[in-house]
Amino acid sequence: MEAKSLYISSLEPSAGSLIVTMGIMEILRRKLERVAFFRPVIEDLEEKDHDIDFVLEKYDLDMKYSQTYGYTVSEVEAMIAENKLNELLENLIDRFKKLQKDFDFVLIEGLNQASFTQSLDFDINLVIAKNIGSPFVSVLKGKEKTAKEIIDEISIESEVIKNAGCSHFATFVNRVEEGILGSITLKVASDDTIPTYFLPEVPELDTPTVYEIMKKLNCMQILGEQKDLKRVVRQSKIAAMKLENFLEHVEDGDLIIVPGDRADIIIGSICTIQSRNYPNIAGLLLTGGMVPSKSVRDLFKGFNEFPLPILSIDDDTYTTAMKVNQVPATITPKSERKIALAMGLFSSNVDIKTIEDRITSTSSHIITPMMFEYNLFERARLNRKKIVLPESQDERILRATEILLRREVVDIVLLGKKEEIEYKSSSLGLDISKAQIINPEDSPLMEEFIHEFYNLRKAKGLSLEIAKDAMAHSNYFATMMVYKGYADGMVSGAVHTTQDTIRPALQIIKTKPDTSIVSSLFFMCLDTKVLVYGDCAVNQDPNAQELAQIAISSADTAVMFGIEPKVAMLSYSTGSSGKGEDVEKVREATNIVKKMRPDILIEGPIQYDAAIDQSVAKTKLPNSKVAGQATVFIFPDLNTGNNTYKAVQRSSGAIAIGPVLQGLNKPVNDLSRGCLVADIVNTVAITGIQAQEEESK
C-alpha cells in the first residue's frame, strides 16, 4: 500500500492522539524533509490550536499556521445543518491536495468526535478520511476500561472503519492499565490482521508541570531558574498547619500553596530541598499577592544553588487551590522531559519497522538536521548499548542521562558516589533511576582494573603504585570498563580536556590493527544535507601518511552513518595548479588513499569551493566524480579544520555534532567543555552506534 498521508483520530478526548502524532511524525521526519501537518477541523479561532502550535514548533515545519486547518467546529456544524456537506468536503479536499502537491507527506490529525454536538450523528473524521483517500489510524482510550471492554471497542472500531470505506492503517490503544496490558496484547495479536499497539498509562504524562500551572494561572515567578519550571507537579497541598506538622505531610512532587506571608512554611519548604531526609517538592505557590520579605529573599539569594521555583499569585489560597486542580496536563515544545518520556513509550511499544514498511513513499536524498538526529536515536535504540559517563558531577550529564534513558537510546552507567548522584539528580527534579551507578572507590572492579593496567603498561616502566593512582581517575576507570567489556563505549569531556579523554584510550584500548592514529570528525548538519569534516579536534599537523589514514577513517565512519563518502582532500589549490610543501603533502596523501583503498572516491588537492559547488567544479575539475558533490572534507591541519568548522557553524547556523573519535578498537568519544545537553545526547547515541558496528565485525 502506498501512503502519502495518514489520518489520525480518536473518538474521546484525552485519548493521546498527540502522542501518536508525535511518534509517527518522528518516523516521517527520519525519511522525508517536507512533511505537512493538517487538521481539517479545529475548536475555534479565539486561540491557536494546541496540537498545531506544538507540531509546527517542535518539528520546525515549513508551514504557515493558516495552512494547517480547514474549518472550526461551529462552521462545520452550520454547513452540515444547511445541507452543504459536499461543499465542505470539496473545500477540504482542495486544501489537502494543495498540501500534497507542495509536500512529500501530509500527516492529518482529526478533532475527537466528542468535540462536536450530538446533532452530528456520524463520524466526520471517517467521512473526511474516505474522501481524501487517506489511510486511517484509530486512537482509543484504555483508561479505566477492562480488557473485555477494550477488545470489544477495538473490534467495533475496526468494523466501523471498514464499513465507512476507509483503509484501516493501524489502531493505537493509549493509557492501558499495566495489569491488563499483557493479556490484551496476546489476545489481539492472535485475532487481528490490523496492526494494533498498546501504550500503558503513565501518570507523569497526565500531570502538569510547574510551567503549565504558571502559564495557565498567569503567575509571576519570583525565584528559581527557567529550567526548574519543568518539574512535574504530582499533587498540590495547602499549607495551613504549623511548620512541624506540615513537614510530616510533604511528598515528592508537591506544589505547596501557601500565603506569601508565611515565612516559616516558605523557609521550611526550601529546607526540604536541601535536606536528604525529606522528599523533593515541585515548587511553592504564594497566594494573596504577597511575597517574602526582603530579609527572606536575601537569605535565598545567598544559596549556591536554588533549584526550586517560587511563584506568586494575587488570588486567595482557596481560590488558587481550586484553579490549580483544574489545570490540565499538556505537552508543549518546552516539555522536554514529557516529550522524551512519551517518545520512549511509543518506541518501546510500537513496531517501528512495520509502520515504516506500511508507509511507502519516495525516497529523498535530502537529510535535514532533525532527520539525521532522529536516525541516530532510532539506530541506537534498535540494539541498545551500555555507555559509561564518568562526569556525573556535571548537571548537563545528568539531564542528558534522563533524556537518553527515557527515549531508550542506550543504557547508562554513571561513575561517582551513588548518594551524591541521586541527591543532585533529585534536587534537579530528574529521574535517572534506570541508570547504573558505580563508585570506583569501593567497586570490586578496582583491584582487577589496577592489575590489568599494570600488566598492560609494565613493559613501559609503569609501577603498580602509578597504576593504582591512574585508576583513581574516573576517565581511566571508565576506559578500563570499556576495555574489559563492562561497558560498550565511553563519553567524556564535559569537564575534562580532550587529552584527558584520549590518553587513557590510547594506553588501554589502543588503535585498530590497520589504523596508525586516532583522529576525529564532525557531522556538519546543514539545512538539507550532512557533511563530514575531519580532522578538526585531535591531530595538529598530520604528515601525508597520517592525513591518508584520517581520510580512510572518515570515509568508513561516513558509511557507518549512512553518508555516501566522496572525499575531498582540501588545499589552497586545485588539481595541478599549485606547488609547495603543503600542497605536495595533500597530493601524496591522496595517492596513498588511492593505493590503499581504491574503493573510495577521492579527489585532491582541491579547494573548498570546487569541492562543494558544482558550478565551480565544472570549471576547475570538469571530469571529477567528487568535485562539486563532496560529502567528506579532509583538512590539511588542525588550525584549518577547527576554524573552518566553527566558521560554518556560526555563520550558517549549521549543527555540528562531534567531535567523533575514530581509529580506536572500542568507541570512546570526546565532548567540548562548552557542550549543551543536546550535544551530549547526540554524542552518546553516536557512541552506541559505533559499539553496534564493532560488535557486528
Side-chain angles (χ1 to χ4, degrees):
M1 174 182 64
E2 183 174 317
K4 289 203 171 182
S5 67
L6 282 178
Y7 198 120
I8 300 168
S9 182
S10 64
L11 293 173
E12 303 176 73
S14 304
S17 294
L18 180 58
I19 291 176
V20 176
T21 295
M22 290 162 59
I24 293 182
M25 182 63 80
E26 292 212 358
I27 293 172
L28 294 171
R29 291 306 300 269
R30 283 199 296 271
K31 302 292 183 183
L32 303 166
E33 182 206 9
R34 292 185 57 75
V35 178
F37 183 65
F38 184 61
R39 300 203 78 181
V41 187
I42 59 175
E43 291 273 9
D44 53 53
L45 295 175
E46 293 179 8
E47 291 185 7
K48 283 189 174 182
D49 180 86
H50 171 270
D51 289 11
I52 293 176
D53 218 25
F54 175 90
V55 171
L56 288 182
E57 183 177 344
K58 173 71 177 75
Y59 299 101
D60 195 24
L61 301 188
D62 185 19
M63 298 181 72
K64 295 178 181 177
Y65 183 86
S66 58
Q67 293 177 283
T68 61
Y69 69 91
Y71 293 95
T72 65
V73 169
S74 59
E75 289 171 338
V76 168
E77 292 182 340
M79 291 184 75
I80 292 173
E82 296 169 11
N83 204 26
K84 292 182 178 179
L85 177 60
N86 286 343
E87 180 183 338
L88 170 78
L89 293 172
E90 286 171 5
N91 289 337
L92 286 175
I93 291 169
D94 182 57
R95 294 194 69 124
F96 171 73
K97 291 297 183 184
K98 285 179 181 176
L99 292 174
Q100 270 200 322
K101 181 181 177 182
D102 295 337
F103 293 83
D104 301 320
F105 197 100
V106 184
L107 185 61
I108 306 153
E109 184 186 343
L111 191 64
N112 68 78
Q113 190 66 18
S115 298
F116 299 89
T117 63
Q118 292 183 353
S119 62
L120 195 66
D121 58 358
F122 61 90
D123 192 329
I124 186 70
N125 290 301
L126 285 173
V127 173
I128 297 170
K130 174 185 175 181
N131 282 276
I132 63 177
S134 182
F136 197 83
V137 176
S138 177
V139 182
L140 305 179
K141 183 178 176 182
K143 188 175 183 180
E144 298 177 349
K145 293 176 183 176
T146 65
K148 185 179 185 307
E149 287 172 335
I150 292 173
I151 291 170
D152 288 345
E153 193 169 334
I154 292 169
S155 178
I156 292 169
E157 181 75 344
S158 184
E159 194 68 18
V160 169
I161 294 169
K162 180 181 177 182
N163 292 337
C166 289
S167 170
H168 193 174
F169 185 87
T171 295
F172 291 81
V173 186
N174 274 327
R175 311 189 66 181
V176 180
E177 303 295 338
E178 284 279 1
I180 62 173
L181 197 59
S183 59
I184 293 183
T185 304
L186 290 173
K187 171 67 176 170
V188 173
S190 62
D191 290 353
D192 210 334
T193 56
I194 303 298
T196 304
Y197 304 103
F198 300 91
L199 280 68
E201 171 76 334
V202 177
E204 184 171 332
L205 292 176
D206 198 34
T207 53
T209 61
V210 176
Y211 174 80
E212 289 163 11
I213 290 173
M214 182 182 78
K215 187 176 180 183
K216 189 72 175 178
L217 274 55
N218 197 27
C219 302
M220 178 177 69
Q221 183 179 2
I222 59 174
L223 278 172
E225 297 184 37
Q226 188 73 20
K227 62 188 178 184
D228 299 318
L229 297 175
K230 298 173 186 177
R231 290 172 176 269
V232 172
V233 176
R234 293 189 170 89
Q235 58 276 320
S236 60
K237 280 194 174 74
I238 295 175
M241 303 175 179
K242 288 185 177 180
L243 177 61
E244 60 266 28
N245 296 321
F246 160 75
L247 290 174
E248 295 298 320
H249 296 273
V250 173
E251 296 178 271
D252 269 328
D254 278 347
L255 177 67
I256 306 300
I257 302 172
V258 63
D261 60 353
R262 286 290 304 274
D264 58 333
I265 296 294
I266 295 168
I267 293 172
S269 297
I270 301 301
C271 289
T272 65
I273 284 289
Q274 303 295 335
S275 172
R276 303 187 184 193
N277 296 329
Y278 279 88
N280 285 291
I281 63 175
L284 277 169
L285 178 50
L286 310 183
T287 62
M290 297 178 285
V291 298
S293 65
K294 182 179 182 300
S295 58
V296 173
R297 295 199 305 273
D298 289 343
L299 175 67
F300 296 156
K301 289 176 183 176
F303 290 177
N304 289 330
E305 292 185 4
F306 194 88
L308 185 74
I310 299 183
L311 312 178
S312 176
I313 190 170
D314 290 336
D315 292 328
D316 61 64
T317 302
Y318 176 77
T319 303
T320 299
M322 295 292 289
K323 288 183 176 180
V324 167
N325 288 335
Q326 293 169 4
V327 175
T330 57
I331 297 180
T332 72
K334 293 182 174 63
S335 307
E336 297 171 0
R337 299 180 66 219
K338 283 189 178 181
I339 291 169
L341 180 59
M343 291 301 89
L345 190 70
F346 186 92
S347 298
S348 59
N349 291 280
V350 175
D351 186 344
I352 304 294
K353 183 68 165 58
T354 297
I355 296 292
E356 287 179 335
D357 289 345
R358 290 174 70 86
I359 302 173
T360 305
S361 56
T362 305
S363 298
S364 172
H365 294 296
I366 291 173
I367 304 175
T368 66
M370 187 176 288
M371 289 163 66
F372 187 71
E373 289 180 356
Y374 286 161
N375 280 327
L376 289 181
F377 294 161
E378 185 58 23
R379 281 190 61 189
R381 192 188 68 80
L382 289 175
N383 181 12
R384 239 172 33 230
K385 295 300 175 187
K386 183 180 288 187
I387 308 301
V388 58
L389 306 178
E391 300 168 315
S392 60
Q393 73 274 27
D394 191 282
E395 178 181 326
R396 295 166 296 172
I397 295 292
L398 295 178
R399 292 189 179 280
T401 294
E402 183 187 56
I403 291 171
L404 289 159
L405 292 173
R406 287 190 162 201
R407 297 201 67 155
E408 299 185 336
V409 176
V410 294
D411 295 325
I412 295 291
V413 179
L414 295 172
L415 297 188
K417 294 180 179 178
K418 184 178 177 70
E419 185 181 279
E420 291 182 1
I421 293 171
E422 289 179 343
Y423 171 67
K424 181 158 188 174
S425 63
S426 180
S427 68
L428 293 169
L430 303 175
D431 176 14
I432 60 165
S433 55
K434 292 183 179 178
Q436 180 184 1
I437 300 175
I438 295 176
N439 182 2
E441 292 178 7
D442 58 23
S443 171
L445 297 175
M446 180 60 83
E447 280 302 311
E448 176 188 348
F449 287 2
I450 290 170
H451 285 91
E452 184 70 35
F453 188 49
Y454 170 68
N455 289 329
L456 285 171
R457 305 287 296 176
K458 64 184 179 182
K460 295 185 179 291
L462 183 81
S463 68
L464 192 61
E465 192 61 33
I466 294 176
K468 185 176 181 179
D469 289 341
M471 281 303 130
H473 293 276
S474 58
N475 274 358
Y476 272 92
F477 190 92
T479 304
M480 188 61 80
M481 283 187 70
V482 177
Y483 177 72
K484 295 291 290 182
Y486 293 105
D488 300 303
M490 182 192 87
V491 174
S492 184
V495 177
H496 296 95
T497 66
T498 295
Q499 283 306 311
D500 286 338
T501 301
I502 294 179
R503 189 184 301 109
L506 290 174
Q507 292 177 352
I508 298 170
I509 293 174
K510 298 183 171 56
T511 58
K512 295 177 181 178
D514 57 350
T515 305
S516 57
I517 58 168
V518 172
S519 60
S520 74
L521 60 77
F522 279 87
F523 291 108
M524 301 299 295
C525 301
L526 306 175
D527 281 345
T528 58
K529 57 187 172 184
V530 177
L531 304 176
V532 172
Y533 284 10
D535 176 355
C536 304
V538 177
N539 294 287
Q540 193 167 5
D541 188 15
N543 59 36
Q545 189 69 42
E546 291 169 335
L547 199 60
Q549 184 59 68
I550 292 169
I552 292 170
S553 294
S554 299
D556 289 341
T557 302
V559 171
M560 187 187 301
F561 290 91
I563 299 169
E564 182 185 357
K566 295 182 180 180
V567 182
M569 304 292 283
L570 298 174
S571 178
Y572 58 76
S573 72
T574 296
S576 57
S577 64
K579 298 188 182 300
E581 184 179 339
D582 291 338
V583 179
E584 290 306 317
K585 179 180 79 169
V586 174
R587 184 174 287 115
E588 183 184 349
T590 304
N591 290 331
I592 291 171
V593 174
K594 288 178 178 179
K595 290 177 182 176
M596 292 179 65
R597 290 286 299 276
D599 58 305
I600 294 176
L601 285 175
I602 189 168
E603 188 71 64
I606 186 171
Q607 292 161 286
Y608 193 97
D609 59 348
I612 200 165
D613 190 322
Q614 290 193 350
S615 62
V616 176
K618 286 178 182 177
T619 303
K620 293 188 174 182
L621 286 173
N623 299 315
S624 172
K625 294 181 180 179
V626 173
Q629 49 188 326
T631 57
V632 178
F633 296 78
I634 304 302
F635 296 92
D637 53 54
L638 187 60
N639 183 47
T640 309
N642 192 269
N643 278 298
T644 302
Y645 105 76
K646 287 180 179 176
V648 172
Q649 180 187 31
R650 300 299 178 187
S651 61
S652 72
I655 296 174
I657 299 177
V660 178
L661 299 183
Q662 50 192 7
L664 291 166
N665 278 310
K666 292 188 176 184
V668 169
N669 277 310
D670 183 37
L671 297 166
S672 162
R673 276 169 285 176
C675 64
L676 303 175
V677 172
D679 300 326
I680 300 169
V681 170
N682 287 331
T683 302
V684 172
I686 285 171
T687 308
I689 294 170
Q690 288 178 312
Q692 292 173 359
E693 292 294 317
E694 291 300 325
E695 182 183 61
S696 66
K697 290 180 180 178

